[in-house]
Amino acid sequence: MPASPSTARVINDRLALRLLQREGPLTAGRLKELTGLSRPTVADLVERLTASGLVEVAGESGEQRRGPNAKLYGIVAGRAHLAALDVRTEGVTVLVSDLVGRVLAEASVPIGGDTGTGTAVERAVALVERAVKGAEADPLHTLVVGAPGLVDPVSGELRDSGGLPEWHRRLVAALQERFPDARVHVENETNLAALAEQREGAAGDRDTFVLLWLGHGIGAAVVLDGDLRRGASGGTGEIGFLPVPGTDGLPSATGCEGGFHSLAGSAAITALAGEHGLTAPARRRTDEPVAAELVRRAVDAVRSAPAGRRAPADAAGPAERVPDPAADRFLDALADRLTLGAASVVAVLDPGCVVLGGEVGRAGGDELALRVAGRLRRMAPLPTRVRPSALGGGAVLRGALLTARECAQDELFGSGEREV
């Protein structure tokens, strides 16, 4: 049946708002071209959206015409304010933005492992309060929290997971209490990273892929046919529990030691580097995991090998770069380990693309991705591209911000407030 006039208006408004969100400010004429709507319909929706406070004149097109330059219409950025949190076992980072995603404030606070639950929650909430106040963004419309662990698909709450600090679960309730008008959502950190890589990173051309998260912890996110898959209990991607050869035992229901985590977690990578004579400096100038720094140093050592030398087996031909032997062997050994997990995922899901995410994935870059890809071709019969993360550890925060913006826009753009 044909849509009613009011339904048609909402559909047209939503289409125009989505275009403005994606393209930025547009003229009425350009909106007409992109939507295929008639000029009077576009004029009506621009007037309606302006009256509802969702759209405003953002300037002029600058095009020379016989009459005045055409007005540019854009989303009212200050209509709603958003916050995104990346909650780690060792601290919290927050971003505050407007409705179009422009960052207004960013801050972080470390939280040591010996910090009490109440103190940790207070520090994290105070951090968000200061950022919101500094950005003049109170009241918040939407707040999205990215955290390690399982999110219950029914309640939307962070489940009690062994090995994770209690303050993670307490934090969500404390934030809702402090910001009672905000819509507070919590999502697994790896899932948010995958959304960010799909929208703005290494998987921008893929609607099916797997993100292998390699950071302080290890995990995976599965995107099939454009949709993030969470599983019956919210546990899709708990790859740290995957039984693999090369470990001293098997994982259990209460711990992933003996699983893939024992080969590819941050501590395992650090130990592997040590076996090859690679160690991090005593004084570090970065907050990235030690494992990521070691991988980055190894890649740099391989790429910056002195020129003008010949490989021993090459008696003729042009001079070649000879990689640092220890760094080269370390990266090969790491690629061997990562391929075990990647091959298992590929055999079950056939994603066509595996993104090596997190700080370690980005530190390894193309050098590590190429080594994993070569081994994967020999181990798995299914063609699979392997790509390094384009966003690294920052993908979680970026994914949380993108999710917050989408949630807020869905509510504001789809509401009945525009019936004027």
Side-chain angles (χ1 to χ4, degrees):
M1 296 179 62
S4 67
S6 61
T7 300
R9 285 196 296 270
V10 170
I11 293 172
N12 292 341
D13 290 358
R14 193 178 183 89
L15 174 59
L17 286 162
R18 286 296 182 195
L19 286 169
L20 291 172
Q21 184 265 324
R22 188 185 70 194
E23 304 288 339
L26 297 170
T27 64
R30 184 61 177 152
L31 278 172
K32 174 182 177 298
E33 294 174 8
L34 293 174
T35 61
L37 300 173
S38 67
R39 188 177 299 276
T41 300
V42 169
D44 278 347
L45 73 83
V46 167
E47 181 179 356
R48 190 163 55 247
L49 293 174
T50 301
S52 67
L54 290 176
V55 165
E56 64 184 354
V57 176
E60 296 183 342
S61 68
E63 299 173 0
Q64 297 301 317
R65 306 178 181 215
R66 288 184 295 179
N69 289 347
K71 294 179 180 178
L72 284 168
Y73 296 95
I75 293 173
V76 178
R79 177 63 186 270
H81 291 101
L82 322 169
L85 270 71
D86 182 2
V87 178
R88 305 290 180 96
T89 55
E90 72 284 354
V92 177
T93 301
V94 61
L95 286 180
V96 179
S97 84
D98 58 26
L99 186 58
V100 297
R102 185 173 63 241
V103 175
L104 305 175
E106 180 175 2
S108 61
V109 63
I111 298 176
D114 57 349
T115 306
T117 298
T119 302
V121 170
E122 290 174 6
R123 287 182 186 174
V125 172
L127 175 76
V128 179
E129 289 179 325
R130 289 195 301 271
V132 169
K133 182 178 179 180
E136 298 182 351
D138 205 359
L140 284 177
H141 183 281
T142 303
L143 192 157
V144 172
V145 179
L150 304 181
V151 178
D152 190 298
V154 177
S155 68
E157 297 179 353
L158 194 63
R159 291 170 54 183
D160 186 10
S161 302
L164 294 177
E166 174 64 22
W167 65 265
H168 281 195
R169 298 182 68 242
R170 298 275 189 88
L171 177 59
V172 177
L175 288 169
Q176 186 67 82
E177 182 178 350
R178 167 57 187 85
F179 301 99
D181 296 327
R183 292 74 170 163
V184 179
H185 307 274
V186 62
E187 179 60 273
N188 173 265
E189 59 176 358
T190 308
N191 287 342
L192 291 176
L195 292 175
E197 293 286 359
Q198 185 183 37
R199 305 280 181 82
E200 300 179 345
D205 61 338
R206 310 290 304 193
D207 62 359
T208 295
F209 70 98
V210 168
L211 172 77
L212 188 60
W213 178 264
L214 307 168
H216 285 286
I218 186 168
V222 177
V223 177
L224 300 178
D225 300 323
D227 294 327
L228 183 68
R229 306 295 183 174
R230 295 178 174 83
S233 62
T236 294
E238 287 296 312
I239 197 171
F241 287 86
L242 183 72
V244 292
T247 66
D248 295 331
L250 291 173
S252 69
T254 58
C256 55
E257 291 301 323
F260 187 49
H261 172 82
S262 295
L263 292 183
S266 182
I269 295 174
T270 301
L272 180 66
E275 293 173 10
H276 290 82
L278 305 177
T279 58
R283 294 184 177 181
R284 303 176 64 233
R285 300 180 178 180
T286 174
D287 293 330
E288 70 179 353
V290 174
E293 183 172 354
L294 290 168
V295 170
R296 190 185 310 282
R297 286 173 173 269
V299 169
D300 289 343
V302 167
R303 290 180 175 174
S304 62
R309 299 169 56 190
R310 298 181 190 279
D314 186 12
E320 297 180 358
R321 292 187 180 274
V322 180
D324 177 271
D328 197 44
R329 288 194 296 268
F330 165 60
L331 291 176
D332 276 343
L334 178 57
D336 287 341
R337 292 185 174 193
L338 297 181
T339 303
L340 291 175
S344 300
V345 170
V346 167
V348 174
L349 297 176
D350 186 19
C353 179
V354 173
V355 176
L356 302 182
E359 295 92 344
V360 173
R362 188 170 190 182
D366 291 330
E367 187 71 37
L368 182 59
L370 287 171
R371 295 175 191 234
V372 173
R375 288 160 174 77
L376 196 56
R377 281 195 297 271
R378 297 192 294 271
M379 189 179 295
L382 307 173
T384 307
R385 294 185 178 183
V386 181
R387 298 173 177 175
S389 166
L391 303 173
V396 176
L397 201 58
R398 191 61 195 166
L401 184 58
L402 290 169
T403 302
R405 188 176 72 180
E406 185 171 290
C407 290
Q409 290 180 349
D410 278 347
E411 179 174 329
L412 293 171
F413 295 177
S415 70
E417 298 177 11
R418 298 188 304 279
E419 295 298 328
V420 297

